[in-house]
Structure formats: structure tokens, C-alpha cells
Amino acid sequence: MALLRYESQVRPPLVEGDKDYHQVTEDICRPVEAKPSRLWWIGFLISAVLLAFGILSVTMEVMYGTGQWNLNRTIGWGWDITNFVWWVGIGHAGTLISAILLLFRQGWRTGVNRAAEAMTIFAVMCAGQFPIWHMGRVWNAFFVLPYPNTRGPLWVNFNSPLLWDVFAISTYFTVSLLFWYSGLLPDLATLRDRAKEKWAKAFYGVAAFGWTGSTKHWQRHEALSLVLAGLSTPLVLSVHTIVSFDFATSVVPGWHTTIFPPYFVAGAIFSGFAMVQTLLVVTRKVLGLEEYITIEHVDVMNKVIVLTGSIVGIAYLTELFMAWYSHVPYEWFAFKENRVNLASPYGWSYWIMMGCNVLSPQIFWFRKMRRNLVVTFFMSILVNIGMWFERFVIIVTSIYRDYLPSAWSTYYKPSIWEVGFYIGTFGLFFTCYFLFSKFFPVIAIAEIKHILKRSGHKYKDGMTEIEHESVEVFADHHGHDHGA
Amino acid sequence: MSIREQFVATKKYNGIALALMTLGALAIAGLYVTQGSKADEHQQARFWAALLHNSVYFLLVVNAAMFFICATTLAWGGWQMAFRRVPEAISAVVPVIGTIAGVILLVICFGNNHELYHWTDPVKAKTDAAFIWKAGFLNKNFFAGWTVFTIVAWSVLGWKMRQLSRKLDEKPLESNEAAKKYVWNNTVWAAMFIIIFSLTVMSSIPWLWLMSIDAHWFSTMYSWYTFASSFVAGVALITLYVVYLKNNDYLEYTNEEHLHDLGKFMFAFSIFWTYLWFSQFMLIWYSNQPEETIYFIKRVGNTAKDSPYAGIFWLMFIINFLAPLLILMRRSSKRNYSTITFMALLILFGHWLDFYQMIFPGPSPDHVPMILYDFGVALFFVGLIMFVTGKALGRAPLLAKNHPFVKESLIHHT
């Protein structure tokens, strides 16, 4: 018996309007095939300028050394590692959406997965900059790779979570890239077949790897997607777990706590989804894709934000409670005096973190708020400010006052080149995103078609008759009999 | 096609349940005579530890069934509707075991034996610096109040969720609008349960009931770890009932596809449990601070000192991680009734052992007590769960046939 394409009419449609397969292709290819708008050019140029400033900042640091940054003896990690962790965290949503939601068979992922995966790759690229340039003598960066060499006893430290980071992030980047690109193949072939200009035909022709859309291709494609989803799922967890190990394996108060791994992962998904919202709220409007990235998609992602924000909240409170309960004076001091105490030099950053990450997302308990685009956009920014401060709180407030009061420092302020470097990664991120949104379809055409006849508006309207059948009649007509 | 909607517990089923309860009661009585009634404090504590272990473990396991319902409700899941009445029936055990566990916990807290909860000792409470410091949390009144509140809250919210589900049995939803409203109403109650759940199971309750046995020790991961342990066991219990009902020609609309997804849950949450286990163990091992490592030295020993619990510790690690990883990875094993039944039983046992090693090294650090008694006590709770779940299954049709998502579940494929 043929499988019925049906879902409850209680669920809002995931593709709105009166679409058929051809219309889907037309709608999503249009922004790629049209000339870029003036808005696109303005955005692209601003990004490029930011990127240029970043390159200048990094150049200063390479020429004159890390002394160009205001790091000091106590605060050996400041903005740079904060930014690193922040960007890595953002790079979690894409693979979560593409891999874990694929395994969970969540139909709504199809509207947002392409852009989220692209964003992931760009975010990981940005993240990678920080540890690399933080090395100071960057021309020796390849020393982190363990390979037979002539440097004698100079060898990587396998005991260090910082080295595990190298493996975790490069693996994550590779698999995410493969996942994104293999998903793109059918759509690139579509663009190739539609292309009128010579260069476009050539470009998409090479990029599509000779995809013909034969059954065999699809079969392999589906199998590959599942394998990559299976591989990426542990990777989503492992990357931020290992980033958390950078801190938690130490004996620094406020860093060494066992809940760090799962709580970092939850926080990463939280900030990643916020960044997806920031990008998609704008993208859907500018590219006219409101019927594919619907309010329903925004609503669902806001649910993920309130969920992960609350998980992070529970973790914050657990940490705070345990700092007290542990009866370890250093631990309690780090929390009570360096963080919670608003009058302390960095106390304000703790409360910004709490406010942005735990309190403010709670408004997403209300459906009206979840479906309000202005609120969503504002909140998505607020969440990422909060998540930046989370890393700042962890790093700076834990180390500016360590075990030796004589080494305490309170004068850490980033230098212009530290800030410039951070701004530069925004330039890199958005330059990449603008290029992506111009040359590639920001929504997976093939995957939208996959759910169209189940979740498309027009098709759902046609299910009213089925909806009214009794469950027995329904089972007789459509039930399938494997293993009953 | 008509379906068998009404579960009737057979004489054999109830007979087994009652027999297990009797055996269990005998074990409890035996344990009381040989240990609990003695003058030696350690022997008494061993008796109470057995009761604490089993009552808390099985309470968290049956409550995990309600967590499963509420989590899938919040996520607007449809696939589980074909067998949704099964976790509902299991969650009906919460008030029963909750009452038993509540009584046991309060007796231990207010009784004269302080070997399990050292912080309840009035002398130590006044002299031990750590207990003085922690008195704001580790005190009898808070313990009692929060325990009672928690058990009542789980029971009441679980009851409400079951009521909402049954409400539709006689009165189908008239329109699409009514269906949306119904789903919305469910979502609100499920959210309340989840909030209470996160404030209890995922944070305060494991600290109070279990971690305070090692009252000087602390770990922020502890509660999430406990949650993962009891949740995967809860899914295993749901799976066992689904298989049992299928084998007795019930649940016509539940098929291999649903079983496969339950298998995936057992697989995934076994890995998740391991992830939390590793994170906690590795971080404590790596930073090597005596006030933290003491917990694992008691359980696995170190070069200076062997632990009698090392065997149990690593056995439960193999059962809870390696076995699900290797056996449940294949698609075909998740769709095979025998394999899945075997794995569900193994997981339930493995996490029972996990709770055992969480509790017993506290009151009995130098030797593993005669574990056969504990198996006996477990039988009492197994029989009780069987009996009450059987009654609850019979109280309502086995299919929530008017739920808006039930048809999705019928054509579900993984």
C-alpha cells in the first residue's frame, strides 16, 4: 500500500501559499539568478570594510607581537578566547539542525537548514582565527599538528584539552562542510540546468559534480546524508564539550565544575539558534522567502531558544548553589565576590549574562512573542550579547583574582587591536554570508519538495476528509502492516 | 477492523505480580530481622539503604514515564500516540511508590540512625564545619518539606495529564479549532510538569536524597547524571510494556516502527548517560583534587587503596554503555522483539546497579553488603509496578483514539 502523505491539520503548514514543485524551484532560485539588489551591495561592502579592519588589526599583532593586546600576566586569556568560544558556540546550530533534527525527522528543518549550515561553517572559520593568531609567532602554527618531525622533543601535549580542540574543531569543520556541500549538490544541478549565462553554466556545472538526479544518485545521497548525520551528532556534542574541558580540567575556581560539558553544549545551541534567527529574520524579508521560512519556523526556533536558555539557567544556578554548598572558600569567593557582587570590578558582566541568557528568553513562553518578528530579532541579538558575556564572565572574572592576591589585577581593558580583530571576524562572517546568499540557494530546494505534499498549505487543505475519518476507518484505508 | 481496546490483566499476570511482592516482602522482613533490628548502627543503616535505593530508583523510573509524555507533548510529537496509554499507565504508579519512598525518606531523616545521612546527626550538625556551613540546605525541615512537595507535585501534575488524555475518550473533538485548543491545553500542563521536573529531578532532589549521603562531597553534574540514569531506565520500562502488550495481541496499531524508535531512545540516552558519566568522572580524575576524588576512590579505588565496589562499578559501566552501544546500534536489533526485550531488562538492571553504587559506598564503605537481599527488595517494587500498572492499563482504552495526532502515529515510519 502506498504510503500516505498526511499530517494533522493542527500543525501549521511549513510551506505557505499555493505552491507546486515548479513554483518552489522558481521562488528559491530567483534571488540567485537575479542581479544583486542595492541593499545587498551596501551590506556586502560594509562587511568587506569590517574585514579589512580586522586584517589591519591582525597585521599589527603579527608585526609587533601579542603585546599589542592588553592581556596581562593574570588575564592571559581575554577577549580573544572569549571570542573564540563565542564563535564556536554559534557554529553549533547548523549541525544540530541538519543532523540531529534529520534523525528526529523534524520537517521544519528543511526551511532553515541550508542557511544554518552555511552559517555554522563561517562561524567555525571565525572561531579558528583566535587561537591561531593568539599564538603570537603564527608562522609556527603548524606545530599543533602531531607529525614526525625534526624538532626533537618539541611535540604536542596530548594531555592538553587545547590540543583536543584542534582535533575536535577541525573534524567538526570538515564534516559540517561535507554535509553542507553534499546537501547542495541537487540544488547546484538545478541551477546549472537553469543557467543561461556561460560562466554560470560552467561554475554550477563544475560545482554540481555531474549530478543527474538519477535514482541511483538519490539513493546514494540519502544514504550519505544519514551517515553524515550519524557522524555529526556526536560531533555537535563533542566540540563544545572539549571547549568546556579547556576550562573544567583546571583547578581555577569557577572553571573546574563537572556540569560544564553539557551546559556548554546547551549554551552553544542557544546562541547558535539566536544567530540563525538574526540572519533568517532579515534573509526571508530581503529575499522574499516568507512563504518558506514561515512564522511557524520562527516560532519553533524560539521554543528551542527558551528551552536551551532555561537549561543554561538551571546550570548557572546549579553552579552558584554548588559553589556555596561545596564549602570550598575559593570557589565561593569566585562566585560571591567576583561575579554576584555587583559592586566588584566585573560584577556587572555577571548580571548582564543572567539578564540576557536566563531572564529575557522567558518571554518566549508566550506565543505572541515567539511569533513577533521585531521581538525575535531584538531577542536574538540580546541572547548573543548575553552569551558573549557568559564567556567573558567565565574567563575574566575567574582569573583576574586568582589564588595570589598580590597578582590580582582589575585594569584589563581590550586594546583597539583586540577589538578590531573581533570586528574583523564579523566582517569575515558577513562577507561569506552575503556571498553565499548571492550564489547559492539559501533554502534547500530538494528538501522543501520532499515535505511539500505533506506540509504544504495547499496539500494540507486537501486532507480535511482524512482528518474527519474515524481512527478505525483511517487504519483500514492507510495503515501499514509491517510487523503488526 | 475492530481493535482490542480494553486491557484485562490475566490471572497469571496478577499472580506473578503478587508473588513478586510477597517474595519482596519476605526479603524486606528477612533484611529487617538480620540487619534492621540489630543494635549496630551500620547494620540498621544497611537495611534502610536497601529501602532507600529501591524506592528512590523505582520512583524516578516510573516518574520518567510522565517526563516522556510531557517532553513529547511539548515537542508536539505524534509518533508515540499509538502506545501513549502505556507510559500513562506506568506513571500512575508514581503516587503509590511516591508515598512509600516519602515515608522511607522521612523515617531515615528523622530517625535515630545517622549512618546514611550523617548531617542528620545532632552532634555532627553542631560540630562539623561543613555541616554547619550547609545547614541552610541540609536540614531536616527543608528535607521533609521539599520531599513532600515534590512527590505531591509529580503525582498531581501526572494525574492532570492523564485526565486530559482520558477526557477525549468519550467526547471526540468537534473541530480543528477545538483540536488546537486541546493541544494547547496539554502543552501548558506539560510545561508545568517540566518546570517542576527541572526544579526537582534535574537539580535539588538528587542532591537531597542521594548526594547528601556523601555529605562532604559535591558535583554539579550529579543531578543531570541521575536524571539520565533514570530516564533511560524509564524508556526501557515503557518498551517492556509495549512488547508485553503486543505479545498479548493488544496495541494493534503499534508496530516495529514504534519499537524501533523506542530502541533509538534507549540507544541515544544510554550514550547520553555515558557522556555525563565520562564528563563527571574525567574532570574529577583530571584535576585530582582530594575533596572530589574521594567519591570515586570509594567506588573504584586507587593505587593506595582498593575499593570493594570496583567490580560493581565497572560491571554497571559495561552494561550501561558497551552493551547498548554494541547491541542496539544495528537497525535490525531495534526491530527485533527478543533483542529489544533483553536490552530493556539489561538497562533496567544496569541502572539499578548504578543507583546501588551511588548509595552503598556511603553507609558501607568497607564491604559490599549481601546484594541478594537487595534483589529481593527490588522484586517487591517490580511486583508493585506490575500490579498498579496492570490496574491502570485496564482503566482506560489502550488507544487514545481521539487525540489529534493519533493518525500520524498509525502511519509513522522511521
Side-chain angles (χ1 to χ4, degrees):
Chain A
M1 195 179 296
L3 280 179
L4 174 73
R5 290 175 192 272
Y6 159 80
E7 74 176 20
S8 168
Q9 286 184 330
V10 170
R11 299 180 196 276
L14 293 175
V15 181
E16 281 172 358
D18 183 16
K19 306 288 181 204
D20 56 17
Y21 285 155
H22 179 66
Q23 194 58 41
V24 171
T25 312
E26 289 290 331
D27 288 348
I28 301 176
C29 289
R30 195 187 318 116
V32 181
E33 289 164 350
K35 285 248 179 306
S37 64
R38 180 176 298 179
L39 217 55
W40 185 90
W41 275 113
I42 294 172
F44 179 72
L45 287 175
I46 293 175
S47 310
V49 169
L50 297 181
L51 177 60
F53 186 54
I55 293 173
L56 172 70
S57 305
V58 170
T59 310
M60 290 299 289
E61 187 263 332
V62 174
M63 275 170 62
Y64 299 105
T66 33
Q68 292 294 300
W69 295 347
N70 275 351
L71 300 174
N72 57 47
R73 240 180 341 181
T74 318
I75 305 174
W77 284 358
W79 268 51
D80 41 352
I81 302 298
T82 301
N83 299 336
F84 157 69
V85 181
W86 187 75
W87 275 120
V88 175
I90 286 172
H92 272 63
T95 310
L96 181 102
I97 288 173
S98 49
I100 296 184
L101 297 184
L102 178 75
L103 295 180
F104 273 122
R105 307 287 189 267
Q106 292 294 307
W108 62 270
R109 64 178 275 285
T110 53
V112 298
N113 68 334
R114 171 70 47 73
E117 286 169 34
M119 178 222 65
T120 286
I121 292 163
F122 307 146
V124 175
M125 277 161 50
C126 291
Q129 305 304 319
F130 291 96
I132 291 176
W133 300 105
H134 191 215
M135 289 177 191
R137 279 183 275 177
V138 73
W139 47 93
N140 286 336
F142 64 93
F143 279 21
V144 300
L145 302 173
Y147 66 96
N149 62 59
T150 53
R151 297 193 294 274
L154 204 55
W155 185 238
V156 294
N157 180 5
F158 281 105
N159 291 337
S160 165
L162 297 174
L163 180 70
W164 309 343
D165 265 343
V166 175
F167 303 137
I169 291 171
S170 52
T171 312
Y172 183 68
F173 180 73
T174 312
V175 173
S176 298
L177 190 66
L178 286 175
F179 208 153
W180 175 70
Y181 198 78
S182 65
L184 262 172
L185 286 178
D187 292 358
L188 291 173
T190 304
L191 285 170
R192 171 199 63 197
D193 297 343
R194 293 167 56 94
K196 297 202 176 63
E197 294 157 51
K198 212 169 174 185
W199 73 266
K201 244 189 172 42
F203 173 72
Y204 291 114
V206 172
F209 285 176
W211 176 276
T212 61
S214 71
T215 313
K216 201 72 204 166
H217 281 181
W218 277 112
Q219 192 190 10
R220 288 185 178 134
H221 184 261
E222 295 279 319
L224 178 69
S225 302
L226 267 185
V227 170
L228 285 176
L231 279 175
S232 328
T233 303
L235 286 175
V236 175
L237 290 157
S238 78
V239 174
H240 231 55
T241 294
I242 288 173
V243 171
S244 84
F245 286 168
D246 293 343
F247 305 97
T249 50
S250 72
V251 291
V252 176
W255 285 14
H256 174 67
T257 177
T258 48
I259 210 171
F260 255 32
Y263 131 54
F264 263 51
V265 173
I269 293 164
F270 180 55
S271 66
F273 268 81
M275 187 58 102
V276 173
Q277 294 281 41
T278 310
L279 293 176
L280 286 186
V281 165
V282 178
T283 305
R284 69 195 283 277
K285 183 89 195 150
V286 173
L287 302 185
L289 294 169
E290 286 105 328
E291 287 170 323
Y292 297 94
I293 306 168
T294 65
I295 294 289
E296 179 61 16
H297 289 87
V298 175
D299 183 341
V300 174
M301 289 197 285
N302 280 335
K303 283 183 186 170
V304 176
I305 287 180
V306 65
L307 172 73
T308 46
S310 304
I311 292 176
V312 167
I314 288 270
Y316 289 162
L317 296 178
T318 299
E319 262 191 322
L320 181 61
F321 170 80
M322 222 36 98
W324 168 78
Y325 177 88
S326 69
H327 192 223
V328 176
Y330 310 105
E331 198 71 34
W332 183 227
F333 184 90
F335 274 87
K336 182 165 170 271
E337 295 302 332
N338 299 354
R339 296 185 182 178
V340 178
N341 181 1
L342 195 56
S344 71
Y346 293 107
W348 50 272
S349 60
Y350 185 78
W351 290 105
I352 291 181
M353 168 191 102
M354 278 291 190
C356 293
N357 292 349
V358 184
L359 291 182
S360 67
Q362 304 304 328
I363 66 162
F364 284 147
W365 284 99
F366 302 101
R367 185 180 143 92
K368 271 219 170 74
M369 296 289 125
R370 288 198 303 270
R371 299 175 88 88
N372 182 320
L373 290 174
V374 178
V375 172
T376 300
F377 187 74
F378 178 71
M379 277 302 304
S380 71
I381 305 281
L382 210 59
V383 164
N384 265 323
I385 292 176
M387 284 309 290
W388 189 87
F389 272 102
E390 178 196 295
R391 281 62 176 252
F392 182 83
V393 165
I394 291 171
I395 292 170
V396 173
T397 68
S398 270
I399 54 181
Y400 84 99
R401 289 173 173 175
D402 64 0
Y403 292 102
L404 264 185
S406 58
W408 285 6
S409 66
T410 51
Y411 54 82
Y412 172 66
K413 272 200 201 86
S415 74
I416 175 82
W417 305 126
E418 257 170 305
V419 179
F421 186 10
Y422 182 45
I423 290 172
T425 51
F426 277 102
L428 177 62
F429 182 81
F430 284 107
T431 305
C432 290
Y433 190 79
F434 274 111
L435 288 174
F436 156 74
S437 68
K438 174 65 200 80
F439 291 105
F440 295 109
V442 290
I443 294 175
I445 305 172
E447 299 204 43
I448 287 285
K449 288 178 182 171
H450 191 74
I451 61 151
L452 183 66
K453 291 196 172 168
R454 199 183 68 222
S455 307
H457 193 174
K458 182 171 88 173
Y459 297 91
K460 286 194 79 138
D461 279 351
M463 291 174 193
T464 309
E465 199 181 319
I466 302 176
E467 194 80 4
H468 290 306
E469 281 174 359
S470 78
V471 73
E472 288 87 358
V473 174
F474 179 85
D476 282 348
H477 287 174
H478 315 290
H480 50 139
D481 182 42
H482 21 187
Chain B
M1 188 175 84
S2 65
I3 57 167
R4 291 178 71 199
E5 284 191 69
Q6 196 56 47
F7 174 78
V8 184
T10 57
K11 276 210 172 103
K12 192 175 147 202
Y13 176 90
N14 281 332
I16 293 174
L18 290 173
L20 289 175
M21 282 164 73
T22 313
L23 273 175
L26 285 174
I28 295 173
L31 198 57
Y32 181 73
V33 173
T34 56
Q35 308 277 337
S37 62
K38 301 287 186 213
D40 180 56
E41 282 191 334
H42 289 91
Q43 284 183 305
Q44 291 173 2
R46 190 259 174 276
F47 170 74
W48 288 107
L51 294 184
L52 175 76
H53 168 219
N54 283 291
S55 64
V56 167
Y57 173 65
F58 287 110
L59 174 60
L60 292 181
V61 169
V62 290
N63 196 39
M66 186 41 73
F67 176 77
F68 176 84
I69 291 173
C70 291
T72 46
T73 301
L74 277 187
W76 283 41
W79 68 281
Q80 79 290 356
M81 275 304 154
F83 63 88
R84 151 110 183 217
R85 285 287 150 89
V86 174
E88 277 178 28
I90 294 173
S91 72
V93 191
V94 170
V96 181
I97 298 192
T99 310
I100 296 174
V103 170
I104 292 171
L105 286 160
L106 293 185
V107 170
I108 298 174
C109 177
F110 289 98
N112 290 324
N113 186 302
H114 310 298
E115 286 301 307
L116 265 169
Y117 296 144
H118 289 282
W119 53 270
T120 57
D121 186 333
V123 180
K124 284 186 187 156
K126 289 208 177 66
T127 50
D128 188 312
F131 295 165
I132 296 170
W133 176 262
K134 296 179 190 195
F137 182 72
L138 292 184
N139 67 71
K140 293 183 184 182
N141 291 335
F142 179 70
F143 184 97
W146 194 242
T147 298
V148 171
F149 166 80
T150 299
I151 293 169
V152 170
W154 293 346
S155 306
V156 170
L157 288 171
W159 172 82
K160 181 67 197 177
M161 285 301 291
R162 292 191 294 275
Q163 286 306 106
L164 275 175
S165 171
R166 306 245 172 98
K167 204 174 78 179
L168 288 192
D169 288 344
E170 292 92 48
K171 219 175 78 195
L173 292 161
E174 299 289 330
S175 64
N176 211 352
E177 285 313 304
K180 281 183 182 162
K181 213 171 153 204
Y182 175 76
V183 170
W184 162 247
N185 205 3
N186 266 281
T187 311
V188 171
W189 283 98
M192 292 219 263
F193 181 88
I194 295 284
I195 291 172
I196 293 290
F197 192 85
S198 59
L199 292 177
T200 54
V201 180
M202 312 232 341
S203 51
S204 56
I205 280 298
W207 301 335
L208 272 182
W209 290 357
L210 302 173
M211 200 170 86
S212 77
I213 294 172
D214 300 270
H216 290 94
W217 181 79
F218 54 90
S219 167
T220 39
M221 182 72 99
Y222 196 86
S223 296
W224 291 10
Y225 175 86
T226 311
F227 155 74
S229 193
S230 59
F231 181 63
V232 68
V235 175
L237 184 60
I238 295 170
T239 311
L240 275 185
Y241 263 99
V242 168
V243 171
Y244 170 77
L245 291 169
K246 286 297 293 179
N247 283 342
N248 286 281
D249 299 325
Y250 294 105
L251 295 181
E252 284 87 342
Y253 297 146
T254 307
N255 55 42
E256 277 180 358
E257 306 291 338
H258 303 93
L259 201 64
H260 187 172
D261 273 355
L262 282 167
K264 284 184 196 165
F265 260 78
M266 290 204 289
F267 176 77
F269 278 90
S270 289
I271 309 283
F272 179 69
W273 171 87
T274 314
Y275 167 60
L276 300 190
W277 177 90
F278 176 76
S279 300
Q280 178 169 267
F281 185 90
M282 197 282 281
L283 288 176
I284 289 177
W285 166 81
Y286 194 112
S287 68
N288 201 15
Q289 303 181 69
E291 67 268 28
E292 289 184 3
T293 49
I294 179 74
Y295 182 82
F296 287 113
I297 292 171
K298 274 187 180 173
R299 282 154 181 82
V300 290
N302 60 8
T303 45
K305 185 174 174 293
D306 284 333
S307 161
Y309 290 90
I312 287 179
F313 188 88
W314 294 115
L315 175 68
M316 76 94 193
F317 180 72
I318 291 168
I319 292 178
N320 292 337
F321 170 55
L322 285 181
L325 177 75
L326 298 176
I327 298 173
L328 283 178
M329 187 166 326
R330 277 180 69 89
R331 173 186 160 88
S332 55
S333 62
K334 292 191 277 278
R335 299 170 84 90
N336 181 306
Y337 280 69
S338 309
T339 320
I340 211 85
T341 307
F342 170 73
M343 282 312 300
L345 287 170
L346 199 65
I347 285 173
L348 275 163
F349 172 64
H351 290 281
W352 182 86
L353 267 189
D354 186 14
F355 271 62
Y356 187 86
Q357 64 82 27
M358 283 154 80
I359 290 172
F360 277 86
S364 172
D366 301 321
H367 71 284
V368 181
M370 176 67 175
I371 202 170
L372 282 177
Y373 273 123
D374 303 278
F375 291 143
V377 180
L379 292 183
F380 174 80
F381 287 94
V382 172
L384 186 65
I385 291 173
M386 279 181 70
F387 188 77
V388 180
T389 306
K391 281 256 178 288
L393 279 172
R395 233 176 277 142
L398 280 177
L399 184 70
K401 64 176 175 187
N402 293 323
H403 194 284
F405 294 157
V406 75
K407 287 174 194 156
E408 291 181 2
S409 185
L410 263 57
I411 54 166
H412 173 66
H413 57 100
T414 63

